[in-house]
Amino acid sequence: MSNAIVDAVQKHPAPEGLKYTYGTAGFRTKADVLDSVLTRVGLVAALRSRSLKGKWIGVMITASHNPPEDNGVKLVEPLGNMLQEEWEVLSTDMANKANGDEVLQYYNEIASKYKIDLDAPARVVVARDTRASGARLLGCVQDGLKAAGAEVKDYGFLTTPQLHYMVRCLNTEGTKDAYGTPTEKGYYEKFGAAFKTALKGKKPQGSLTVDCANGVGGPKLVELIKYLPPKEEALEIHVVNDNVIKPESLNVDCGADFVKTNQRAPPSSKTGPGDRCCSLDGDADRVVFYFKDQSNVFRLLDGDRIATLVASFLGDQVRSAGLADSIKIGVVQTAYANGAATQYVEQHLKLKVDCTPTGVKHLHHAAEKLDIGVYFEANGHGTVIFSPDTLDTIAKYEPKNPGQADALSVLRACIDLINQSVGDALSDALLVEVVLAHKSWTTQEWLSTYTDLPNRLLKVLVSDRTIFKTTDAERRLTSPEGLQKQIDAEVSKVRQGRSFARASGTEDAVRVYAEAATKAEAEDLARKVAELVK
Ligand code: 16G
Ligand code: ZN
């Protein structure tokens, strides 16, 4: 095995002078400098699997919402969670080893440090999005996996959440926690059936237009539609921007990130006032909704809105089922959540709100501590997780009347409809449709639940972003010294002001967020804080 590892690494030499980091989204950069990283990630994945006695580990090759020439890779833990932080550090170190001998030495060091039996089975699942560089990078991972003697399942093209689903299914097959059949068909059947049951005969109003960012979500949604109830009985879906034949169009002028960042519909959009739309990102783990109102003004329904909608609906079902005393719902947000959304959850829905640093793993961990944890980033990435005790309570509960029985069956179907392993744009979009159908709400009614505070997000280029250190879920700076005081002074000058600055985990920049009672005040505050940060 030793020679094989050295050979595989030498086959994909590392470019000189580059430093790689396993960040919030795994390794992510220009695709043409990733070959060496992918081979080493293959080795780490094999080690991680062996350290867990041969449990399946996932490797997803994607750069999500980033431009077509980028790519990336991330590892998935056995239940579909993000990689453990300790292993992120090991991955970073491994990615930066210079040559075959150093890599082999480090491989053996990890094995001895974690008492990993190198003869134990290693099982790894791989998949990729539709980027042109994906096939080459897959080859690089395969070389690493083969050298480490891992058993490999290659699922070809999948959305990121589908890969997470496969990993969880493979590791729970045949146990009491079995999550589903580990095939694409199994995924569509599970979510399709749950959608039908959760609707309970209610028909969503109008149709839904889904912008797939010209990414892998397009063909997968087309496939999923075949497993949904016929459009005459349930939901009519129009799929747009699903051109994966032209990978250079991925995320270009379309997709969830474009819509959220620019606060407008993709220029190609042909929908009229009131038409319900949503956009996925390039690997279909984010979704945002939107529509044009009667005055043709663009209206965004982002992750905050999905969280409030879903939390209120699940709260209603839990109450109607007679379970309010035994099951508590909580919402997890980041500092980017609009202040009005936080206030709506706390004061109107009367639910607890937790705030965590940016990045799905932080929200996921916080949500795991709740009976029902609804977590969404404002950018549209999120899901709902049910604790094992809650699942048990819901499974065993005997309804006392037909009203309770109805609510209980909807609740059970929602558990199946929501991808428990990770935020899943396809599953989230169907969930939103179920809630709107049950409430008989248009997007306008959804929007009117509360009014967002005007806000502004700025990207500030600085010479060294590592000096920006935060506390309190990234809401306050501890370094550079004195800066937070200056920000506080600016915030106090505007009505309903809030602002924070944090170093980006994915770009070489500092992000500044500001909100206030009026658009002018929010923009002014953002500009002033950006000036302070510079
Ligand atoms: C990554 C995160 C996303 C987060 C974003 C923030 C995952 C899977 N993805 O894309 O959740 O919102 O980074 O980027 O964790 P930033 O640090 O550049 O603001
Ligand atoms: Zn994504």
Side-chain angles (χ1 to χ4, degrees):
M1 194 188 288
S2 303
N3 282 342
I5 290 178
V6 174
D7 290 349
V9 172
Q10 304 293 47
K11 187 171 158 195
H12 305 289
E16 263 174 51
L18 286 181
K19 164 109 177 81
Y20 299 97
T21 310
Y22 195 104
T24 23
F27 293 106
R28 196 178 287 182
T29 181
K30 295 287 159 244
D32 51 10
V33 294
L34 273 171
D35 293 32
S36 63
V37 175
L38 273 282
T39 306
R40 291 144 206 247
V41 164
L43 298 173
V44 174
L47 280 171
R48 181 66 183 136
S49 173
R50 288 195 169 108
S51 78
L52 297 167
K53 308 214 162 19
K55 287 228 160 70
W56 290 95
I57 291 295
V59 175
M60 182 70 201
I61 304 173
T62 177
S64 184
H65 59 280
N66 287 34
E69 63 277 14
D70 289 13
N71 215 329
V73 63
K74 53 188 167 189
L75 293 174
V76 177
E77 292 274 323
L79 288 182
N81 298 354
M82 305 287 168
L83 183 65
Q84 247 195 24
E85 260 167 80
E86 209 176 349
W87 281 78
E88 292 184 4
V89 179
L90 300 178
S91 304
T92 294
D93 289 345
M94 182 64 102
N96 291 301
K97 295 292 169 205
N99 55 44
D101 292 332
E102 282 188 25
V103 166
L104 177 62
Q105 193 188 340
Y106 193 52
Y107 181 90
N108 289 323
E109 261 172 46
I110 297 176
S112 67
K113 180 167 172 207
Y114 292 90
K115 306 203 168 34
I116 298 169
D117 173 6
L118 288 177
D119 293 324
R123 299 191 177 95
V124 179
V125 190
V126 294
R128 59 189 166 104
D129 71 14
T130 50
R131 283 161 203 272
S133 56
R136 190 190 79 239
L137 293 175
L138 173 68
C140 301
V141 178
Q142 297 270 30
D143 284 342
L145 290 168
K146 208 167 133 209
E151 178 188 340
V152 183
K153 247 188 216 296
D154 175 10
Y155 278 93
F157 300 109
L158 287 183
T159 69
T160 295
Q162 284 182 319
L163 185 268
H164 285 250
Y165 165 90
M166 298 304 171
V167 173
R168 187 170 178 135
C169 289
L170 286 166
N171 286 308
T172 53
E173 241 181 342
T175 74
K176 70 172 188 12
D177 299 318
Y179 193 57
T181 311
T183 59
E184 263 194 78
K185 188 159 181 274
Y187 173 95
Y188 301 126
E189 280 173 350
K190 173 169 176 145
F191 292 96
F195 179 62
K196 181 162 187 227
T197 315
L199 274 177
K200 270 204 152 288
K202 306 247 171 0
K203 187 171 172 358
Q205 303 176 25
S207 62
L208 174 68
T209 299
V210 186
D211 153 28
C212 301
N214 291 323
V216 65
K220 301 306 177 190
L221 173 58
V222 169
E223 202 51 36
L224 172 61
I225 289 172
K226 298 180 189 160
Y227 295 78
L228 302 181
K231 63 177 186 230
E232 297 73 27
E233 288 166 31
L235 177 64
E236 180 172 354
I237 300 180
H238 303 291
V239 181
V240 299
N241 298 328
D242 61 337
N243 185 355
V244 291
I245 308 299
K246 250 178 76 188
E248 65 275 20
S249 61
L250 175 68
N251 297 321
V252 176
D253 286 342
C254 60
D257 200 58
F258 173 90
V259 171
K260 171 76 180 158
T261 313
N262 298 290
Q263 307 261 330
R264 64 184 176 107
S268 58
S269 170
K270 293 189 182 63
T271 54
D275 290 344
R276 195 161 67 251
C277 307
C278 71
S279 285
L280 320 179
D281 73 341
D283 62 340
D285 60 357
R286 284 194 201 177
V287 62
V288 293
F289 279 72
Y290 49 93
F291 66 103
K292 275 188 231 152
D293 67 14
Q294 293 311 322
S295 328
N296 247 326
V297 176
F298 172 83
R299 300 288 186 175
L300 180 67
L301 294 150
D302 63 5
D304 293 349
R305 296 281 182 174
I306 299 176
T308 51
L309 181 78
V310 168
S312 103
F313 180 70
L314 292 177
D316 290 348
Q317 301 307 313
V318 165
R319 249 188 316 279
S320 305
L323 284 164
D325 290 338
S326 39
I327 298 176
K328 295 279 168 267
I329 302 180
V331 174
V332 185
Q333 303 177 325
T334 70
Y336 289 109
N338 195 279
T342 312
Q343 195 183 12
Y344 176 79
V345 177
E346 286 177 335
Q347 294 178 9
H348 184 85
L349 301 180
K350 308 227 178 304
L351 300 177
K352 191 167 97 89
V353 176
D354 286 326
C355 186
T356 73
T358 305
V360 171
K361 65 178 177 212
H362 300 293
L363 290 107
H364 194 95
H365 283 158
E368 274 176 337
K369 300 196 177 93
L370 303 165
D371 297 342
I372 299 181
V374 179
Y375 76 84
F376 274 88
E377 291 190 292
N379 62 23
H381 193 145
T383 189
V384 182
I385 48 182
F386 298 77
S387 75
D389 283 351
T390 303
L391 289 174
D392 204 47
T393 305
I394 293 173
K396 292 195 179 133
Y397 186 72
E398 299 276 355
K400 314 255 176 324
N401 55 52
Q404 289 198 353
D406 271 358
L408 197 66
S409 75
V410 172
L411 205 52
R412 287 178 182 155
C414 285
I415 293 173
D416 285 338
L417 180 58
I418 301 168
N419 192 330
Q420 299 288 294
S421 59
V422 77
D424 181 335
L426 298 178
S427 134
D428 289 342
L430 293 181
L431 177 65
V432 166
E433 289 298 321
V434 164
V435 179
L436 292 178
H438 275 273
K439 288 183 181 275
S440 300
W441 274 6
T442 59
T443 40
Q444 184 62 54
E445 285 164 296
W446 178 11
L447 184 75
S448 351
T449 47
Y450 63 87
T451 308
D452 270 324
L453 282 170
N455 58 88
R456 184 82 190 159
L457 181 62
L458 292 177
K459 187 162 95 176
V460 188
L461 300 179
V462 295
S463 52
D464 179 10
R465 80 186 202 276
T466 62
I467 61 170
F468 293 86
K469 302 217 159 55
T470 58
T471 177
D472 191 19
E474 303 182 321
R475 288 175 290 193
R476 298 188 66 77
L477 284 168
T478 51
S479 148
E481 225 191 305
L483 184 52
Q484 186 59 48
K485 257 211 170 109
Q486 292 175 291
I487 295 177
D488 291 343
E490 290 303 336
V491 168
S492 69
K493 288 181 199 158
V494 301
R495 289 166 303 152
Q496 293 179 271
R498 186 170 73 89
S499 180
F500 64 89
R502 58 173 277 279
S504 158
T506 61
E507 283 181 86
D508 193 8
V510 168
R511 297 197 203 285
V512 168
Y513 176 88
E515 64 185 31
T518 61
K519 195 161 185 264
E521 284 169 295
E523 304 221 332
D524 198 45
L525 179 58
R527 243 192 331 268
K528 295 232 170 78
V529 174
E531 276 308 315
L532 293 172
V533 164
K534 262 183 203 157

